Amino acid sequence: MQTRQTAAEDAGESLFIPVVLGSVRKNRRSFFPARLLAEQVAAAGHRTELLDLRELRLPMYDEEEETERHTAVVAFKESLGRSDASIWLSPEYNHSFTGAIKNAIDHLHDELRRKPAAACGLAGGVSGGIRASEGLKTVLIELHAVPIRESVHFGEARTLFDAQGTLLHSEFVHRIDTMLASLVWYARALKWGREHLPVPQRQRG
Ligand SMILES: Cc1cc2nc3c(=O)[nH]c(=O)nc-3n(C[C@H](O)[C@H](O)[C@H](O)COP(=O)(O)O)c2cc1C
């Protein structure tokens, strides 16, 4: 049987797909799901990095030169700038994605342009953070990212992992891999497009 690594290598070069973790809360439940997303990217033969907004501690976007030179801002932009695709995970806070994610996005300019993005949600209830992920997609569009249809929604977040971070619901591996297969397809198609096709004039207004 062919391994996932071999399948990825056969289909083309390994891609760089960072995972942005948008929960900065002390006792957050999003860490284990974000780590699982990154593990599945690596298991599929691609390179990844967990861009953990709690660790990065990005300053508030204010257009000050000092802020733009901030080590965390530079590292965040650099990582997404060399990405082929990105995965975003946000818990649902007050029917939206987190303020930390919005601030992180406001620091970006053209790093996600014409690259696919998968938006995933998490919530304590059954909704799985769908309002967070759907809202995030509409914001990512403004950066000329290409949000894909597939998402993974980590509902009932309290029961998904044990205290050591072991996944208790194995069906999530399949859901992540299905999303990832689509993301990689778009990443390859859009990479080819960026390299071979002229970009249409930017719409004003
Ligand atoms: C400020 C705040 C607002 C929340 N609002 C919602 C909400 O609108 N809908 C929902 O389903 N869950 C809501 N929740 C529950 C969170 O989705 C749940 O606590 C989840 O574990 C948060 O992710 P985190 O643990 O990674 O921070 C809210 C939680 C917080 C802290």
Side-chain angles (χ1 to χ4, degrees):
M1 206 175 87
Q2 205 178 34
T3 65
R4 274 186 305 221
Q5 282 91 335
T6 312
E9 284 158 12
D10 284 352
E13 66 185 295
S14 155
L15 302 171
F16 177 49
I17 308 177
V19 176
V20 182
L21 167 52
S23 172
V24 300
R25 194 168 70 88
K26 187 172 57 173
N27 294 318
R28 61 203 174 148
R29 298 197 182 275
S30 303
F31 178 76
F32 293 143
R35 191 178 66 181
L36 179 63
L37 285 163
E39 284 169 359
Q40 290 309 112
V41 173
H46 302 290
R47 290 163 288 122
T48 188
E49 190 172 4
L50 187 57
L51 297 174
D52 182 349
L53 298 187
R54 179 175 169 84
E55 272 185 11
L56 275 170
R57 302 218 171 258
L58 295 174
M60 285 300 285
Y61 172 76
D62 60 6
E63 218 179 30
E64 294 288 346
E65 266 182 43
E66 194 187 337
T67 308
E68 309 225 329
R69 284 198 305 265
H70 191 286
T71 321
V73 174
V74 172
F76 183 66
K77 291 170 63 124
E78 187 275 330
S79 182
L80 289 172
R82 66 187 161 85
S83 72
D84 299 295
S86 53
I87 300 174
W88 297 71
L89 173 62
S90 179
E92 184 167 310
Y93 284 178
N94 299 314
H95 287 195
S96 183
F97 50 87
T98 63
I101 285 212
K102 183 60 168 61
N103 180 53
I105 288 173
D106 290 345
H107 280 289
L108 298 175
H109 180 53
D110 56 8
E111 293 80 359
L112 305 180
R113 191 175 285 252
R114 294 174 197 279
K115 298 176 183 177
C120 298
L122 177 141
V126 285
S127 76
I130 195 159
R131 287 169 290 226
S133 66
E134 291 293 310
L136 185 50
K137 287 181 192 184
T138 64
V139 171
L140 289 169
I141 286 171
E142 184 54 19
L143 292 183
H144 294 256
V146 181
I148 65 167
R149 180 184 180 280
E150 293 79 6
S151 300
V152 177
H153 293 109
F154 297 93
E156 307 279 7
R158 266 181 299 275
T159 65
L160 293 182
F161 292 82
D162 70 13
Q164 283 69 47
T166 304
L167 179 67
L168 301 175
H169 291 263
S170 57
E171 66 272 20
F172 277 90
V173 170
H174 176 67
R175 289 179 196 167
I176 293 170
D177 288 349
T178 301
M179 177 188 76
L180 206 47
S182 180
L183 188 67
V184 165
W185 187 94
Y186 279 103
R188 293 200 196 290
L190 290 171
K191 188 170 198 225
W192 186 91
R194 291 195 305 277
E195 288 167 0
H196 293 91
L197 300 174
V199 174
Q201 287 260 310
R202 207 175 162 186
Q203 185 185 329
R204 301 261 165 232

Coordinates of all heavy atoms in Angstrom, one line a residue, residues 21-31 33 89-96 98 122-131 154 156-158, ligand 1:
L21 N -2.7 29.4 14.7 CA -3.6 29.1 15.8 C -4.0 30.4 16.5 O -3.2 31.2 17.0 CB -2.8 28.2 16.8 CG -3.4 28.1 18.2 CD1 -4.9 27.6 18.2 CD2 -2.6 27.1 19.1
G22 N -5.3 30.6 16.4 CA -5.8 32.0 16.7 C -6.4 32.1 18.2 O -7.0 33.2 18.5
S23 N -6.2 31.1 19.0 CA -6.6 31.3 20.4 C -5.4 31.6 21.3 O -4.4 30.9 21.3 CB -7.3 30.0 20.9 OG -7.5 30.1 22.3
V24 N -5.5 32.7 22.0 CA -4.4 33.1 22.9 C -4.8 33.0 24.4 O -4.1 33.4 25.3 CB -3.9 34.6 22.6 CG1 -3.5 34.7 21.2 CG2 -5.0 35.6 22.9
R25 N -5.9 32.3 24.6 CA -6.4 32.2 26.0 C -5.5 31.2 26.8 O -5.1 30.2 26.2 CB -7.9 31.7 25.9 CG -8.7 31.7 27.1 CD -10.1 31.4 26.8 NE -10.3 30.0 26.4 CZ -10.6 29.1 27.2 NH1 -10.8 29.3 28.5 NH2 -10.8 27.8 26.8
K26 N -5.4 31.5 28.1 CA -4.5 30.7 28.9 C -4.9 29.2 28.9 O -4.0 28.3 28.6 CB -4.6 31.2 30.3 CG -3.6 30.6 31.3 CD -3.6 31.3 32.6 CE -5.0 31.3 33.2 NZ -5.0 31.8 34.6
N27 N -6.1 28.9 29.1 CA -6.6 27.5 29.2 C -7.2 27.0 27.9 O -8.2 26.3 27.9 CB -7.5 27.3 30.3 CG -6.8 27.5 31.6 OD1 -5.6 27.1 31.8 ND2 -7.4 28.2 32.6
R28 N -6.7 27.5 26.8 CA -7.4 27.2 25.5 C -7.4 25.7 25.1 O -6.6 25.0 25.5 CB -6.6 27.9 24.4 CG -5.1 27.5 24.3 CD -4.3 28.5 23.7 NE -2.9 28.0 23.8 CZ -1.9 28.3 22.9 NH1 -2.2 29.1 21.9 NH2 -0.7 27.9 23.0
R29 N -8.5 25.4 24.4 CA -8.7 24.0 24.0 C -8.2 23.8 22.5 O -8.3 22.8 22.0 CB -10.2 23.6 24.1 CG -10.7 23.7 25.5 CD -12.0 22.9 25.7 NE -12.4 23.1 27.1 CZ -12.0 22.3 28.1 NH1 -11.2 21.4 27.8 NH2 -12.5 22.5 29.3
S30 N -7.9 24.9 21.9 CA -7.5 24.9 20.5 C -6.1 24.4 20.2 O -5.8 24.1 19.0 CB -7.7 26.3 19.8 OG -9.0 26.8 20.0
F31 N -5.3 24.3 21.2 CA -3.9 23.9 21.0 C -3.8 22.5 20.4 O -3.1 22.3 19.4 CB -3.0 24.1 22.2 CG -1.6 23.6 22.0 CD1 -0.8 24.5 21.3 CD2 -1.1 22.4 22.4 CE1 0.6 24.1 21.0 CE2 0.1 22.0 22.1 CZ 1.0 22.8 21.4
P33 N -6.0 20.5 18.8 CA -6.5 20.5 17.4 C -5.5 21.1 16.4 O -5.3 20.6 15.3 CB -7.8 21.2 17.5 CG -8.3 21.1 18.9 CD -7.0 21.1 19.7
L89 N -7.0 28.2 12.4 CA -7.9 27.6 13.3 C -8.3 28.7 14.3 O -7.4 29.2 15.0 CB -7.3 26.4 14.1 CG -8.1 25.8 15.2 CD1 -9.5 25.3 14.7 CD2 -7.4 24.8 16.0
S90 N -9.6 29.0 14.4 CA -10.1 29.9 15.4 C -11.2 29.3 16.2 O -12.1 28.7 15.6 CB -10.6 31.2 14.7 OG -11.1 32.1 15.7
P91 N -11.2 29.5 17.5 CA -12.4 29.2 18.3 C -13.5 30.3 18.0 O -13.1 31.4 17.5 CB -12.0 29.3 19.7 CG -10.8 30.2 19.7 CD -10.1 30.0 18.4
E92 N -14.7 29.9 18.3 CA -15.8 30.9 18.1 C -15.9 31.7 19.4 O -16.2 31.2 20.5 CB -17.1 30.2 17.8 CG -18.2 31.2 17.5 CD -19.4 30.5 16.9 OE1 -19.2 29.8 15.9 OE2 -20.5 30.7 17.4
Y93 N -15.7 33.0 19.3 CA -15.9 34.0 20.4 C -17.0 34.9 19.9 O -16.8 35.7 18.9 CB -14.7 34.8 20.7 CG -13.5 34.0 21.4 CD1 -12.3 34.7 21.7 CD2 -13.7 32.7 21.8 CE1 -11.3 34.0 22.4 CE2 -12.7 32.0 22.5 CZ -11.5 32.7 22.8 OH -10.5 32.1 23.4
N94 N -18.1 35.0 20.6 CA -19.2 35.9 20.3 C -19.6 35.9 18.8 O -19.6 36.9 18.2 CB -18.8 37.3 20.8 CG -18.6 37.3 22.3 OD1 -19.4 36.8 23.1 ND2 -17.5 37.9 22.8
H95 N -19.8 34.7 18.4 CA -20.3 34.4 17.0 C -19.3 34.9 15.9 O -19.6 35.2 14.8 CB -21.6 35.1 16.7 CG -22.7 34.3 17.4 ND1 -24.1 34.5 17.1 CD2 -22.7 33.3 18.3 CE1 -24.8 33.7 17.8 NE2 -24.0 33.0 18.6
S96 N -18.0 34.9 16.3 CA -17.0 35.3 15.3 C -15.7 34.6 15.6 O -15.6 33.8 16.5 CB -16.8 36.9 15.3 OG -15.9 37.3 14.3
T98 N -11.5 35.0 16.5 CA -10.9 35.8 17.7 C -10.4 37.2 17.2 O -9.9 37.3 16.1 CB -9.8 35.1 18.3 OG1 -8.7 34.9 17.4 CG2 -10.3 33.7 18.9
L122 N -13.6 26.0 16.1 CA -13.7 25.2 17.3 C -14.7 25.8 18.3 O -14.7 27.1 18.3 CB -12.3 25.1 18.0 CG -12.2 24.3 19.3 CD1 -10.9 23.5 19.4 CD2 -12.3 25.3 20.5
A123 N -15.4 25.0 19.0 CA -16.3 25.6 20.0 C -16.7 24.5 21.0 O -16.6 23.3 20.7 CB -17.6 26.1 19.3
G124 N -17.1 25.0 22.1 CA -17.5 24.1 23.2 C -18.8 23.3 22.8 O -19.0 22.2 23.2
G125 N -19.6 23.9 22.0 CA -20.9 23.3 21.6 C -20.8 22.5 20.3 O -19.8 22.4 19.7
V126 N -22.0 22.1 19.8 CA -22.1 21.3 18.6 C -21.8 22.1 17.3 O -21.4 21.6 16.3 CB -23.4 20.6 18.4 CG1 -23.6 19.4 19.3 CG2 -24.6 21.6 18.5
S127 N -21.9 23.4 17.4 CA -21.7 24.2 16.1 C -20.3 24.1 15.6 O -20.0 24.3 14.4 CB -22.0 25.7 16.4 OG -21.0 26.3 17.1
G128 N -19.4 23.8 16.5 CA -18.0 23.6 16.1 C -17.3 24.8 15.6 O -16.3 24.8 14.9
G129 N -17.8 26.0 15.9 CA -17.2 27.2 15.5 C -17.4 27.6 14.0 O -16.6 28.3 13.4
I130 N -18.5 27.1 13.5 CA -18.8 27.4 12.1 C -18.9 28.9 11.7 O -18.5 29.3 10.7 CB -20.0 26.6 11.6 CG1 -20.0 26.5 10.0 CG2 -21.3 27.1 12.1 CD1 -20.8 25.4 9.5
R131 N -19.5 29.6 12.7 CA -19.6 31.1 12.4 C -18.2 31.7 12.4 O -18.0 32.7 11.7 CB -20.5 31.7 13.5 CG -22.0 31.4 13.3 CD -22.8 31.8 14.4 NE -22.6 31.0 15.6 CZ -23.5 30.4 16.4 NH1 -24.8 30.6 16.1 NH2 -23.2 29.7 17.4
F154 N -14.2 21.6 15.0 CA -14.0 20.8 16.2 C -15.0 21.2 17.3 O -14.8 22.1 18.1 CB -12.5 21.1 16.8 CG -11.4 20.7 15.8 CD1 -10.9 21.6 14.9 CD2 -10.9 19.4 15.9 CE1 -9.9 21.2 14.1 CE2 -9.9 19.0 15.0 CZ -9.4 20.0 14.1
E156 N -17.9 20.3 20.4 CA -17.8 19.7 21.7 C -16.3 19.5 22.1 O -15.8 18.5 22.5 CB -18.4 18.2 21.6 CG -19.8 18.2 21.0 CD -20.9 18.5 22.1 OE1 -20.5 18.9 23.2 OE2 -22.1 18.4 21.8
A157 N -15.6 20.7 22.1 CA -14.1 20.7 22.2 C -13.6 20.1 23.5 O -12.5 19.5 23.5 CB -13.6 22.1 22.1
R158 N -14.4 20.0 24.5 CA -14.0 19.5 25.8 C -13.7 18.0 25.8 O -13.0 17.5 26.5 CB -15.1 19.8 26.9 CG -14.8 21.0 27.7 CD -15.9 21.2 28.8 NE -17.2 21.3 28.2 CZ -17.7 22.4 27.7 NH1 -17.1 23.6 27.9 NH2 -18.9 22.5 27.2
Ligands
LIG1 C1 -15.1 35.3 25.0 C2 -15.8 34.0 24.6 C3 -16.9 34.0 23.7 C4 -17.5 32.8 23.3 N1 -18.5 32.8 22.4 C5 -19.0 31.7 21.9 C6 -19.9 31.7 20.8 O1 -20.4 32.8 20.4 N2 -20.4 30.5 20.3 C7 -19.9 29.3 20.8 O2 -20.3 28.3 20.3 N3 -19.0 29.3 21.8 C8 -18.5 30.4 22.4 N4 -17.6 30.4 23.3 C9 -17.1 29.1 23.8 C10 -15.8 28.7 23.1 O3 -15.9 28.4 21.7 C11 -15.1 27.6 23.8 O4 -14.8 28.0 25.2 C12 -13.8 27.2 23.2 O5 -13.1 26.2 24.0 C13 -12.9 28.4 23.1 O6 -11.7 28.0 22.4 P1 -10.3 28.1 23.2 O7 -10.5 27.2 24.4 O8 -9.2 27.6 22.3 O9 -10.1 29.5 23.7 C14 -17.0 31.6 23.8 C15 -15.9 31.6 24.7 C16 -15.3 32.7 25.1 C17 -14.1 32.7 26.0

